[in-house]
Amino acid sequence: MVSIVRTLPSIRSLLPRASSSISKIMDSSSNAGMGGSQRLLALAQHLRQYKAPSFPEDIVEQRIEESGSKVVSQVGFPEAATPVGQNSEKFRPKKAAVLICLFEGDDGDLRVILTKRSSELSTHSGEVALPGGKAEEGDKDDGDTAKREAKEEIGLDPELVNVVSVLEPFLSKHLLRVVPVIGILNDKKAFKPVLNPAEVEAVFDAPLEMFLKDENRRQEEREWMGEKYLLHFFDYGAGHKKYLIWGLTAGILIRAASVVYQRPPAFLEQNPKFKVPQNVSNDTILP
């Protein structure tokens, strides 16, 4: 089995160029004359400049849909791909999308909506997640999937969300291809959560910038077919409740925060470059 490795440019070269940093855009004290809606408009314009990295001969979506024989890494960087061997016809990763719904908090900070999954679910029960789920036949694109799922899970009206960017796909441990969709919620007060108890126990929000800071964070080293990588765990308290944000959700939010704030995290990510065994199938689970 031969590993096909492509070297991507640094994260700074992948981030959108802007005349002023996003920190300044969202800093209410330095933009006293700019209202909240204006700041979010500037943020939206900033994020529309972002282009997810792609392979020279193909974009990630086409590579998966057309060949079905390679996968991207779990944390969303398409740095390494490996042929899945003679049984490649068994491996067709199902598509999913999650919504990174950003809004301006009362203190002018940028925040993201998160959920705690129902304890009754068969997979990832009780874990913190972004709103989202598997694509359905009627969905026009990943943005459609993410917004539809958010409405089903937490009652978020799709008309309230302005999709401004799409990040590169991640691969979950169940080999589910997950596309993060960044959306702006201009009117937070118009969002009246209605939870689907079969899927969601709670909805809360957290500051996006926390996923770049080495605070209330720990990590665990894992290994997959000789490749070592780090899983990140963030502790967060909202009111009297405490939440643990980790794994795929943490990886997606680290990436999103890096794109939004135009800087890498203050800690080592050590992203995996997963190799896929020749007997991979849709029942395979990564560690």
Side-chain angles (χ1 to χ4, degrees):
M1 180 169 59
V2 180
S3 177
I4 304 171
V5 181
R6 294 173 173 85
T7 302
L8 292 180
S10 67
I11 186 171
R12 291 186 183 279
S13 65
L14 294 174
L15 300 179
R17 303 293 181 183
S19 57
S20 60
S21 70
I22 193 61
S23 297
K24 291 183 179 179
I25 290 174
M26 295 307 298
D27 185 355
S28 57
S29 63
S30 63
N31 291 284
M34 181 182 289
S37 60
Q38 290 177 299
R39 286 194 292 271
L40 290 177
L41 177 61
L43 171 64
Q45 293 173 340
H46 163 83
L47 290 176
R48 286 194 182 98
Q49 299 177 52
Y50 177 75
K51 301 297 182 184
S54 61
F55 292 125
E57 75 277 12
D58 208 354
I59 62 173
V60 174
E61 289 86 349
Q62 290 175 331
R63 178 169 56 81
I64 292 176
E65 291 174 358
E66 295 174 3
S67 71
S69 61
K70 300 176 183 177
V71 296
V72 297
S73 77
Q74 184 182 10
V75 293
F77 289 94
E79 294 178 310
T82 305
V84 299
Q86 297 178 350
N87 294 326
S88 61
E89 69 277 0
K90 295 182 180 180
F91 181 69
R92 294 293 185 272
K94 294 181 179 180
K95 294 182 180 181
V98 293
L99 181 63
I100 304 171
C101 188
L102 304 177
F103 68 94
E104 187 175 9
D106 294 337
D107 296 328
D109 59 335
L110 196 59
R111 305 185 70 84
V112 59
I113 294 176
L114 293 162
T115 70
K116 181 180 180 182
R117 290 167 59 86
S118 169
S119 301
E120 303 301 319
L121 291 171
S122 59
T123 59
H124 306 290
S125 57
E127 293 184 4
V128 171
L130 290 157
K134 294 179 182 178
E136 294 185 356
E137 189 174 347
D139 296 339
K140 297 177 182 178
D141 52 27
D142 295 315
D144 230 26
T145 299
K147 291 194 293 181
R148 175 184 53 75
E149 286 286 337
K151 179 175 176 57
E152 292 177 5
E153 291 179 7
I154 60 176
L156 178 58
D157 185 349
E159 296 298 321
L160 295 175
V161 181
N162 178 23
V163 172
V164 294
S165 190
V166 175
L167 303 183
E168 53 271 38
F170 285 48
L171 194 72
S172 77
K173 70 177 184 179
H174 293 283
L175 300 183
L176 182 68
R177 175 186 174 274
V178 182
V179 174
V181 175
I182 299 181
I184 302 294
L185 178 62
N186 288 285
D187 187 1
K188 175 61 167 59
K189 294 181 179 179
F191 171 41
K192 309 296 183 183
V194 178
L195 306 188
N196 179 349
E199 298 188 50
V200 175
E201 285 186 6
V203 60
F204 65 100
D205 56 81
L208 182 66
E209 195 173 12
M210 68 172 275
F211 299 100
L212 296 180
K213 299 178 180 179
D214 195 9
E215 301 172 4
N216 300 314
R217 185 196 70 87
R218 62 185 186 276
Q219 63 192 37
E220 290 182 9
E221 186 177 75
R222 300 288 176 89
E223 184 173 333
W224 173 249
M225 295 184 67
E227 296 285 349
K228 292 183 179 180
Y229 64 97
L230 294 177
L231 275 182
H232 300 277
F233 300 76
F234 294 86
D235 292 304
Y236 181 69
H240 298 293
K241 297 183 179 180
K242 295 182 179 180
Y243 299 98
L244 178 62
I245 306 165
W246 70 286
L248 182 65
T249 299
I252 289 174
L253 290 171
I254 291 170
R255 180 61 174 161
S258 297
V259 169
V260 168
Y261 287 97
Q262 298 183 279
R263 70 176 191 267
F267 49 85
L268 178 66
E269 286 184 84
Q270 195 170 331
N271 300 309
K273 297 179 181 179
F274 283 124
K275 299 175 183 178
V276 181
Q278 291 188 349
N279 62 349
V280 68
S281 71
N282 286 328
D283 295 326
T284 301
I285 299 178
L286 301 178

